[in-house]
């Protein structure tokens, strides 16, 4: 359900526009577990009002704010610092300086921010760009509980869902489960990120943002290299799995070289001729 709501544009039956302010009102009335699931699925081009409303909440969970921060591409503003005033990036940094976003209840996979964070550090470190400080807490890690929508929606909410998305079953009491999070391994598998301990943030709080980011994600070049190694490893694994699967005769023949196919063809022709002669002699 959350994925579909988050990609809203018009109602599926095309008869009634889903007014963005109505959706924003509905989302902001929900518990923050719903907010997090929403922002992880939303169409960024269609949700400025909802993003602004979440950033404007001092009690917003830090995991939600971090996702909105990195999703707003802070590296862009290192290249174009004149465009940062009024941006999501500026608003979040300013609110953090005011002491907002103290809650940090939810878990997020560390690999979710790996590309964005390392790209920011790489671009910020170039002399021709303008770096700005990002609080270490926005880099993670986020080790709280996994967001699971385990409560029933009230009747008013269900009525809205039925009007906006009539194909949904009204007896839905859980929009997500922990299995939902399995798909996030496709971002950056944690197996080849640096190993960290539960107290990582506290132990390395003395580092600057460049070194702290590397302690979580490697450098950008190292991360790209590790991603390529992982891609090749998965490709080899898939190739081996295919080789172990039962093959049809045609598939086996197609894997032979041209010369091998010719020898096999001649052998089959010879066997066929011998079989014909044997049958003819038997009938006589």
């Amino acid at each position: 359900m959350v994925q579909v709501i988050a990609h809203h544009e018009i109602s599926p039956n095309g008869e009634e526009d889903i007014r963005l302010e109505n959706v924003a009102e509905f989302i902001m009335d929900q518990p923050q577990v719903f907010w997090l699931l929403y922002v992880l699925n939303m169409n960024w081009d269609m949700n400025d009002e909802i993003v602004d409303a979440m950033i404007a909440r001092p009690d917003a969970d830090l995991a939600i704010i971090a996702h909105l921060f990195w999703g707003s591409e802070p590296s862009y503003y290192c290249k174009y610092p004149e465009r940062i005033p009024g941006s999501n990036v500026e608003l979040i940094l300013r609110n953090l300086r005011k002491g907002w976003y103290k809650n940090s209840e939810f878990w997020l996979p560390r690999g979710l921010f790996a590309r964005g964070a390392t790209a920011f550090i790489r671009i910020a470190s170039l002399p021709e760009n303008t770096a700005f400080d990002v609080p270490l807490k926005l880099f993670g890690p986020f080790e709280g509980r996994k967001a699971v929508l385990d409560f029933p929606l009230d009747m008013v909410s269900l009525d809205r869902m039925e009007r906006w998305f009539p194909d949904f079953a009204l007896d839905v009491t859980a929009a997500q489960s922990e299995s939902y999070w399995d798909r996030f391994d496709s971002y950056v598998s944690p197996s080849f990120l640096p190993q960290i301990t539960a107290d990582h943030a506290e132990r390395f709080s003395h580092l600057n943002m460049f070194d702290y980011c590397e302690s979580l994600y490697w450098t950008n070049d190292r991360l790209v290299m590790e991603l390529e190694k992982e891609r090749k490893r998965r490709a080899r694994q898939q190739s081996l799995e295919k080789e172990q699967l039962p093959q049809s005769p045609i598939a086996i023949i197609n894997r032979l070289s041209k010369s091998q196919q010719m020898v096999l063809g001649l052998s089959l022709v010879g066997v066929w001729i011998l079989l014909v002669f044997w049958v003819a002699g038997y009938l006589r």
Side-chain angles (χ1 to χ4, degrees):
M1 182 189 294
V2 176
Q3 291 103 317
V4 181
I5 301 171
H7 284 84
H8 70 272
E9 294 180 16
I10 61 172
S11 57
N13 57 23
E15 296 175 358
E16 175 189 2
D17 287 343
I18 300 176
R19 301 299 176 187
L20 186 59
E21 59 269 21
N22 292 339
V23 178
E25 178 186 355
F26 167 75
I27 296 299
M28 298 308 294
D29 284 344
Q30 305 307 312
Q32 290 200 29
V33 62
F34 196 103
W35 296 12
L36 179 57
L37 293 170
Y38 184 88
V39 298
L40 289 170
N41 289 281
M42 71 180 178
N43 180 343
W44 280 81
D45 295 332
M46 300 292 298
N47 285 278
D48 288 347
E49 182 176 348
I50 295 171
V51 170
D52 291 346
M54 292 182 181
I55 292 174
R57 285 283 294 268
D59 63 334
D61 192 273
L62 187 62
I64 297 170
I65 296 301
H67 182 71
L68 297 179
F69 179 82
W70 295 112
S72 299
E73 299 185 28
S75 56
Y76 171 84
Y77 298 102
C78 294
K79 293 182 178 180
Y80 305 101
E82 70 278 4
R83 299 179 184 177
I84 196 171
S87 66
N88 292 341
V89 168
E90 188 213 24
L91 291 172
I92 290 171
L93 294 178
R94 186 172 65 196
N95 291 341
L96 281 168
R97 288 194 292 270
K98 292 191 295 186
W100 290 21
Y101 316 135
K102 292 184 180 297
N103 298 328
S104 187
E105 179 182 353
F106 298 118
W107 175 89
L108 282 177
R110 187 157 43 113
L112 185 62
F113 301 144
R115 287 186 177 93
T118 58
F120 168 76
I121 290 299
R122 178 178 60 82
I123 293 173
S125 63
L126 297 176
E128 64 269 25
N129 295 327
T130 303
F132 51 86
D133 287 333
V134 173
L136 302 188
K137 63 176 67 176
L138 286 177
F139 289 92
F142 298 95
E143 301 292 350
R145 66 181 180 91
K146 291 183 177 179
V148 177
L149 190 59
D150 54 2
F151 57 89
L153 296 174
D154 59 68
M155 292 307 297
V156 174
S157 300
L158 289 173
D159 179 64
R160 288 182 177 182
M161 293 301 96
E162 174 64 11
R163 284 188 294 109
W164 289 342
F165 307 101
D167 292 336
F168 289 144
L170 292 182
D171 60 350
V172 173
T173 58
Q176 303 291 352
S177 65
E178 290 206 13
S179 61
Y180 163 83
W181 294 100
D182 294 342
R183 74 183 181 92
F184 282 93
D185 275 348
S186 63
Y187 283 82
V188 176
S189 174
S191 61
F192 58 83
L193 290 172
Q195 297 298 307
I196 64 173
T197 57
D199 60 346
H200 185 89
E202 181 179 352
R203 288 177 57 207
F204 295 96
S205 61
H206 63 284
L207 298 178
N208 61 46
M209 67 177 183
F210 298 93
D211 294 335
Y212 185 78
C213 181
E214 184 173 353
S215 74
L216 281 174
Y217 304 118
W218 307 124
T219 61
N220 184 257
D221 291 341
R222 171 68 182 274
L223 180 65
V224 170
M225 180 183 70
E226 294 290 346
L227 287 171
E228 180 62 15
K229 284 167 56 178
E230 178 69 3
R231 186 191 66 78
K232 291 180 178 179
R233 185 193 68 78
R234 290 184 179 181
R236 287 195 302 270
Q237 182 179 355
Q238 291 174 355
S239 178
L240 289 173
E241 290 173 353
K242 286 182 179 179
E243 290 179 0
Q244 294 171 0
L245 292 174
Q247 300 288 322
S248 67
I250 294 178
I252 294 173
I253 292 172
N254 287 336
R255 291 172 56 191
L256 300 176
S257 65
K258 293 292 185 182
S259 58
Q260 290 174 327
Q261 290 178 3
M262 185 175 295
V263 170
L264 178 62
L266 292 173
S267 300
L268 292 175
V269 170
V271 170
W272 177 254
I273 292 173
L274 290 174
L275 182 60
V276 170
F277 278 111
W278 179 82
V279 171
Y282 178 80
L283 293 176
R284 283 199 300 267

